[in-house]
């Protein structure tokens, strides 16, 4: 099994080679992106000086994510890694969203073309805007499921987060008030209890655990799958996750004015940018999606945060924590290149 989790050595970028060879190299960074249940719902093709990005609907979480919100966020994360890698190697990437349908060389309706990353050569490597630091964090970034320390996140980091959100035209709520976080923790408990009450939700989660996507060895993965599929663990999960929320000094919520495909891709890109910035600062990040997977609880969260017309589309904990040793695998580039 090739080690697809370790990023390539930047010194090995095939600068003198053809675009397809360069694109294949860049994609080794794209696939290190986070994705819900590590579903890696992406595929790519190289054509006419561009990388075409596809959303793989066959990998959508039909129960947890029937609308494909998390799927597009995940693809957006991969796009951001691709853009950062392209800039790092002296290319000048442009991103265009759409056409949001099957288009060549897609082999069928499950693969929808959602973005095109144009790759033009520029004279020099872009060292600006701290982007090299973001690129350097791609290999080290991990989701951290541990309780977080009781240590505040520096205001300068939160300021950088706000600047990134403003630059991408999206909303970002950074909840630090303990009373507010406790209210979100209560929503988290209710969400977990409801989700784990649903046999279809448990079976879907069990399926992804069983594939080893969430980073366990084969045997542990099977035991985990059985436990999730058959035991009533909603209450336990609810209590555990509620404590995780209250342990975090910051609960961050990404919001959009209109929930459509371009804004979800953009939100994914922003989330990955924030995750990489956090990684570079030694901070831990942990998305928690259950509240947003239930329409009524998502509406309650929006009310709690006073979001008005904005819709929350992604929620994650931010803080300091012991490293999480979980190492989630990746599908090799060959498997996701059309
Ligand atoms: C849109 C999205 C939603 C996610 N939701 C959750 C979640 O609810 N709970 C969780 O523990 N991790 C969540 N994750 C993290 C993924 O499980 C994680 O990215 C994946 O397993 C790969 O592991 P890595 O991030 O350590 O590389 C989410 C990630 C994304 C991109």
């Amino acid at each position: 099994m090739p080690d697809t989790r370790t990023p390539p050595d930047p010194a090995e970028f095939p600068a003198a080679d053809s675009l397809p060879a360069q694109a294949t190299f860049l994609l080794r960074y794209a696939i290190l992106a986070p994705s819900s249940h590590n579903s890696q719902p992406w595929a790519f093709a190289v054509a006419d000086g561009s990388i075409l990005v596809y959303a793989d609907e066959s990998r959508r979480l039909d129960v947890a994510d029937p609308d494909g919100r998390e799927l597009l966020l995940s693809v957006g994360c991969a796009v951001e890694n691709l853009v950062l890698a392209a800039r790092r190697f002296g290319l000048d990437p442009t991103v265009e969203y759409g056409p949001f349908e099957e288009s060549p060389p897609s082999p069928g309706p499950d693969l929808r073309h959602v973005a095109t990353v144009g790759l033009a050569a520029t004279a020099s490597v872009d060292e600006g805007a701290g982007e090299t630091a973001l690129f350097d964090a791609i290999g080290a970034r991990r989701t951290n499921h541990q309780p977080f320390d009781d240590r505040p996140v520096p205001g300068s980091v939160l300021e950088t987060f706000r600047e990134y959100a403003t630059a991408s035209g999206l909303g970002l709520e950074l909840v630090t008030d303990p009373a507010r976080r406790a209210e979100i923790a209560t929503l988290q408990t209710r969400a977990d209890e409801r989700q784990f009450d649903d046999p279809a939700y448990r079976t879907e989660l069990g399926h992804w655990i069983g594939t080893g996507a969430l980073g366990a060895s084969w045997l542990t993965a099977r035991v985990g799958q059985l436990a999730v599929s058959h035991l009533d663990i909603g209450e336990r999960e609810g209590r555990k996750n509620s404590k995780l929320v209250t342990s975090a000094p910051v609960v961050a919520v990404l919001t959009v004015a209109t929930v459509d495909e371009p804004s979800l891709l953009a939100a994914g890109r922003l989330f990955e940018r924030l995750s990489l910035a956090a990684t570079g600062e030694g901070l831990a990040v942990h998305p928690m999606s259950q509240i947003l997977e239930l329409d009524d609880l998502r509406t309650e969260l929006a009310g709690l945060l006073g979001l008005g017309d904005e819709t929350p589309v992604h929620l994650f904990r931010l803080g300091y924590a012991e490293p999480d040793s979980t190492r989630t695998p990746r599908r090799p580039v060959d498997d996701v290149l059309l």
Side-chain angles (χ1 to χ4, degrees), residues 132-298:
T132 306
L134 297 178
F135 168 83
D136 287 342
I138 290 177
R141 185 213 57 77
R142 305 241 185 301
T143 299
N144 192 314
H145 307 84
Q146 315 270 13
F148 287 4
D149 298 344
D150 182 17
R151 179 176 156 202
V153 176
S156 57
V157 173
L158 300 184
E159 203 37 55
T160 304
F161 270 40
R162 289 197 186 92
E163 281 165 19
Y164 284 157
T166 305
S168 64
L170 301 172
L172 172 66
E173 296 291 319
L174 296 168
V175 184
T176 52
D177 174 46
R180 209 22 75 86
R181 283 187 283 126
E183 288 179 292
I184 297 174
T186 305
L187 284 182
Q188 177 69 41
T189 308
R190 287 168 54 201
D192 279 321
E193 285 177 4
R194 285 221 339 242
Q195 293 289 49
F196 279 96
D197 232 12
D198 177 358
Y201 179 87
R202 295 201 307 268
T203 303
E204 183 175 78
L205 177 58
H207 162 77
W208 287 100
I209 291 174
T211 64
L214 293 167
S217 69
W218 185 87
L219 183 62
T220 333
R222 283 294 174 286
V223 173
Q225 175 181 20
L226 283 174
V228 168
S229 310
H230 298 292
L231 298 178
D232 181 13
I233 57 170
E235 254 184 62
R236 211 189 59 200
E237 273 299 299
R239 273 199 308 276
K240 188 191 83 193
N241 284 340
S242 156
K243 280 199 192 127
L244 290 183
V245 172
T246 39
S247 81
V250 180
V251 175
V253 180
L254 298 188
T255 72
V256 301
T258 311
V259 184
D260 57 16
E261 291 167 306
S263 60
L264 289 172
L265 287 164
R269 289 187 62 189
L270 173 59
F271 169 61
E272 178 63 347
R273 218 173 158 76
L274 300 179
S275 296
L276 295 172
T279 303
E281 296 288 341
L283 282 153
V285 167
H286 179 200
M288 300 184 84
S289 302
Q290 292 73 23
I291 296 173
L292 299 175
E293 288 167 355
L294 296 163
D295 287 347
D296 55 332
L297 296 190
R298 187 176 54 227

Side-chain angles (χ1 to χ4, degrees), residues 65-124:
D65 184 36
D67 302 332
R69 175 183 53 83
E70 293 174 27
L71 181 140
L72 283 174
L73 284 165
S74 304
V75 176
C77 292
V79 169
E80 188 61 17
N81 280 6
L82 187 54
V83 166
L84 290 169
R87 284 206 192 112
R88 165 65 179 74
F89 296 109
L91 300 162
D92 184 17
T94 53
V95 180
E96 204 179 301
Y97 299 129
F100 303 113
E101 57 194 32
E102 176 192 353
S103 72
S106 164
D110 274 345
L111 289 190
R112 287 194 316 131
H113 180 188
V114 296
T116 302
V117 179
L119 298 172
T122 52
S124 63

